[in-house]
Amino acid sequence: MSHLIGDVAHIVAEEEDGPRGVSTLTLDQRNSEPNLLLLCKPHHKEVDDDPANHPVEALTTMKLSHENWVASCFSLSPAWDTKLFQLYYINVPRLSLLASLQGIDLDLTQYGKINALHQLGLELLGLMSSFQKVLQNVQLKAVPLDVAVHQQDARGMVISFDHTFRTKNVEIPKPGDSFETFFTGDLKKDAHIYCKLDGCKVIANIDRRWITTTTAFSEFRPSSGRNCFAGLGFVNGYDLQEKIMRITPYVIGIPSNPFMEAFYGSDV
């Protein structure tokens, strides 16, 4: 069931004896879109009961400011046209949460307790396909990272990236290793990748459990090495003074290209 939760308010009143009604606007102009403003019921009453503190100029500025904000939100959300070809990293807990928020029912019980993805073997393919719909939905809402670093309210944004990163502290597993990861906040110790964009340092922590294969570990090596990574994630912190953005990756891989699509088929 839908409910009306807002009022269409007039900036210049429909009648001359109404709030801010003294104007040269015609009746048609008073009822046209440029003179109309959507307000909640309490604020509609407030601006009409106290027109002296809510003049035409202030309401017009409010309307334009809101329209510009809406336009900027849409402009920051282009469809991400980079299709990931090979996935090196799949953040299972975060993607499972996303699936739940999007109403997508995932049954991962067949995999039991996942200690590390690279131990799944062929079952990894089934798990990857389980998240396909989730990733398709996320891609459509992702903001390019080089745009997000210029937004003061970037925290919580879903972002896409396709950049060269430095790698740091991602250790290749050894027999008998535990894969439980505890981040300390000390970048000299914690596994992460990072890059610099327009003066902003972007840091993404890497949990070894979600690296997909033993071969994929080499993509995050050596420490202080470089690699080109594409992926999706979200901004969980942005220090504007220090110009440091922290992101949590959902997936990391390499983007498709014409050669790969020609060799393997464009539907891969």
Side-chain angles (χ1 to χ4, degrees), residues 20 47 50-55 58-59:
R20 299 167 297 277
V47 300
D50 188 12
N53 286 317
H54 299 89
L59 295 184

Side-chain angles (χ1 to χ4, degrees), residues 40-267:
C40 66
K41 290 181 179 294
H43 281 109
H44 189 180
K45 178 174 174 54
E46 179 179 326
V47 300
D48 281 358
D49 284 354
D50 188 12
N53 286 317
H54 299 89
V56 169
E57 294 77 11
L59 295 184
T60 300
T61 299
M62 182 191 304
K63 175 184 173 72
L64 291 175
S65 176
H66 182 71
E67 288 174 344
N68 290 334
W69 175 79
V70 171
S72 69
C73 289
F74 280 108
S75 67
L76 289 176
S77 301
W80 190 46
D81 58 5
T82 301
K83 180 170 62 177
L84 289 175
F85 177 80
Q86 181 70 44
L87 293 180
Y88 299 143
Y89 187 91
I90 305 173
N91 193 328
V92 173
R94 293 292 185 179
L95 286 176
S96 298
L97 178 60
L98 268 184
S100 177
L101 293 174
Q102 295 176 12
I104 300 173
D105 187 20
L106 293 181
D107 183 9
L108 304 181
T109 57
Q110 60 181 305
Y111 305 107
K113 181 182 178 181
I114 301 175
N115 295 315
L117 289 182
H118 75 274
Q119 296 177 334
L120 288 180
L122 292 177
E123 288 184 319
L124 179 64
L125 296 176
L127 183 141
M128 291 168 65
S129 65
S130 297
F131 290 118
Q132 182 177 3
K133 185 176 180 181
V134 182
L135 291 176
Q136 288 173 341
N137 289 347
V138 174
Q139 284 185 182
L140 295 175
K141 300 176 182 177
V143 177
L145 180 58
D146 52 1
V147 174
V149 295
H150 296 290
Q151 307 306 309
Q152 293 188 1
D153 55 351
R155 186 177 182 183
M157 278 186 177
V158 176
I159 53 94
S160 62
F161 54 88
D162 188 351
H163 297 281
T164 297
F165 285 80
R166 299 295 297 265
T167 58
K168 192 73 173 177
N169 302 328
V170 183
E171 299 295 333
I172 296 176
K174 299 175 182 178
D177 270 1
S178 169
F179 294 97
E180 290 295 326
T181 301
F182 301 97
F183 294 111
T184 65
D186 184 350
L187 294 179
K188 293 181 179 180
K189 300 177 181 178
D190 291 343
H192 65 281
I193 59 176
Y194 66 95
C195 69
K196 289 189 177 181
L197 292 174
D198 296 332
C200 176
K201 186 174 184 179
V202 181
I203 302 167
N205 283 336
I206 299 297
D207 189 326
R208 293 196 309 166
R209 291 175 296 176
W210 313 131
I211 296 178
T212 54
T213 65
T214 52
T215 304
F217 272 90
S218 65
E219 303 296 334
F220 295 93
R221 298 282 298 167
S223 191
S224 297
R226 295 175 183 268
N227 206 344
C228 294
F229 292 120
L232 297 162
F234 76 95
V235 180
N236 55 32
Y238 194 10
D239 187 325
L240 293 171
Q241 291 185 336
E242 298 294 330
K243 295 289 287 184
I244 296 176
M245 176 181 286
R246 295 181 180 273
I247 66 174
T248 296
Y250 290 134
V251 292
I252 298 174
I254 57 175
S256 183
N257 59 50
F259 171 79
M260 289 180 176
E261 293 186 358
F263 190 82
Y264 293 100
S266 59
D267 293 332

